Amino acid sequence: MQKTLSGNPDTGSFLSHGPAATGKQLLSADRVAVWWLLLDEIRDADWEKLDSILIDEEQERSDRFHFERDRQVYIAAHAACRGLLSYCLGEPPRNWRFSVEDHGKPELICPPGQPRYRVNISHTRGLAAVALAREHDIGVDVEWLQRDAPADDLAKRMFAESERLKVKDATGPEKLETFLSFWTLKEAYVKAIGKGLSQPLDAFAFDLETDEISFRDGLADTAANWYFERYRPGPEHLMALAVRHPDKSSLIVDPQPAPLTYLLDLAGTHN
Ligand SMILES: CC(C)(COP(=O)(O)OP(=O)(O)OC[C@H]1O[C@@H](n2cnc3c(N)ncnc32)[C@H](O)[C@@H]1OP(=O)(O)O)[C@@H](O)C(=O)NCCC(=O)NCCS
């Protein structure tokens, strides 16, 4: 079931108590932190500060985007990513380094013998998001609801039969929303396993009533190990989260709007 997010920090959440103090980390093995950033909320004067949180290679990449809106969403996603790592784990934002796995998934480099933190980002028109967990595979995906996508055609080519029928039966604006609800869940899963679109999307299916996954080949993966959530971070966007966890009942997922003031303050930290 989709959760509507208010945009106001939930005071009962572990992320709402402020950033990690020196030497203390906010993330236990059962906690998952999620931040999203709506680009409309960022003022023109803030972009330079957010850009300064990125490392040199990221800044060079951001400079290569042709369209300003693509550049901005890239900066927002990577600033939010570095910011969330610093907020939860307590190091300066430009300290974090990533390796790139076989199918392009960036993995945080953690010192041997230390907990392995896992982070994933997603960006779309007007919205960036980042999700962070300790040890567990994690994936996040966001999509813009105003996009022009041939929902029936794409579902027919890429989705499982049950999903294709749900998209086909939906009418009006619900068609695209149904398609993108499946799409974000499916992308969150393929990003969590690190395979991206090299993983055929029709090999598994979601039930939008329960947000549970099932696999065409029952041996391919274990549905009971996966936890999914869907959100509505704003009227124009959908977001989905995938976490592989052996005991879903103990998971504490904390989705919050990224605190822009914290991110802008980070821009003044030098390392
Ligand atoms: C990796 C993939 C899953 C990314 O999908 P995407 O929706 O384009 O992009 P997102 O914004 O959700 O995620 C991009 C981020 O995921 C991360 N990423 C890259 N490869 C990844 C992988 N194999 N697994 C997990 N994460 C990956 C990167 O951090 C990347 O951001 P960066 O390039 O700014 O560093 C890609 O294989 C893909 O599916 N592309 C198709 C997109 C598409 O056709 N969309 C149409 C929707 S109708």
Side-chain angles (χ1 to χ4, degrees):
M1 210 215 332
Q2 180 181 276
K3 294 186 177 179
T4 300
L5 298 170
S6 65
N8 297 316
D10 172 359
T11 47
S13 78
F14 69 85
L15 287 175
S16 64
H17 298 296
T22 311
K24 301 243 191 250
Q25 301 184 339
L26 295 186
L27 227 61
S28 62
D30 291 329
R31 287 179 171 183
V32 173
V34 182
W35 274 1
W36 76 92
L37 197 49
L38 284 161
L39 269 66
D40 279 353
E41 292 171 6
I42 301 172
R43 295 168 310 169
D44 288 349
D46 295 338
W47 285 108
E48 202 174 325
K49 287 187 178 170
L50 292 178
D51 190 46
S52 75
I53 297 173
L54 274 49
I55 59 169
D56 295 351
E57 297 92 304
E58 290 166 341
Q59 286 173 350
E60 282 159 21
R61 196 175 154 198
S62 79
D63 286 341
R64 289 199 296 271
F65 283 102
H66 182 66
F67 294 109
E68 184 61 8
R69 68 162 187 257
D70 294 336
R71 192 179 86 85
Q72 289 186 337
V73 82
Y74 176 90
I75 293 171
H78 288 267
C81 176
R82 291 186 174 277
L84 184 61
L85 286 165
S86 296
Y87 189 96
C88 290
L89 310 179
E91 296 273 334
R94 299 179 90 235
N95 278 12
W96 308 107
R97 289 292 180 274
F98 294 85
S99 61
V100 178
E101 304 303 304
D102 283 352
H103 297 284
K105 184 173 186 177
E107 288 283 2
L108 188 68
I109 298 174
C110 301
Q114 299 288 312
R116 186 175 172 222
Y117 290 97
R118 315 288 302 283
V119 68
N120 196 231
I121 66 173
S122 185
H123 31 74
T124 189
R125 176 86 74 92
L127 179 76
V130 52
L132 175 64
R134 181 162 145 178
E135 307 293 347
H136 310 295
D137 288 341
I138 188 159
V140 65
D141 192 59
V142 291
E143 292 293 341
W144 185 51
L145 271 166
Q146 309 297 324
R147 69 180 309 143
D148 186 15
D152 280 320
D153 286 356
L154 286 170
K156 197 170 166 189
R157 275 198 287 125
M158 303 179 88
F159 284 6
E161 181 70 3
S162 58
E163 297 168 330
R164 184 180 71 74
L165 291 173
K166 285 280 180 201
V167 176
K168 186 166 173 269
D169 288 348
T171 53
E174 274 195 12
K175 188 179 282 294
L176 185 62
E177 182 155 352
T178 305
F179 171 78
L180 290 178
S181 298
F182 284 125
W183 182 270
T184 48
L185 284 167
K186 285 165 112 48
E187 286 268 313
Y189 172 72
V190 299
K191 292 177 78 183
I193 62 173
K195 290 190 177 172
L197 284 187
S198 69
Q199 165 65 49
L201 296 183
D202 61 354
F204 59 97
F206 282 94
D207 177 342
L208 292 184
E209 302 287 313
T210 59
D211 291 344
E212 284 178 2
I213 196 168
S214 59
F215 297 95
R216 192 173 60 197
D217 170 0
L219 296 177
D221 201 341
T222 308
N225 285 348
W226 283 98
Y227 179 75
F228 297 92
E229 273 191 5
R230 284 190 290 134
Y231 313 94
R232 190 82 184 241
E236 293 193 351
H237 294 97
L238 296 183
M239 173 162 84
L241 174 77
V243 189
R244 194 205 298 263
H245 194 284
D247 176 15
K248 294 186 283 192
S249 61
S250 65
L251 256 189
I252 301 164
V253 180
D254 200 350
Q256 297 282 334
L260 193 54
T261 321
Y262 171 79
L263 292 178
L264 296 174
D265 285 349
L266 276 185
T269 13
H270 294 287
N271 55 288

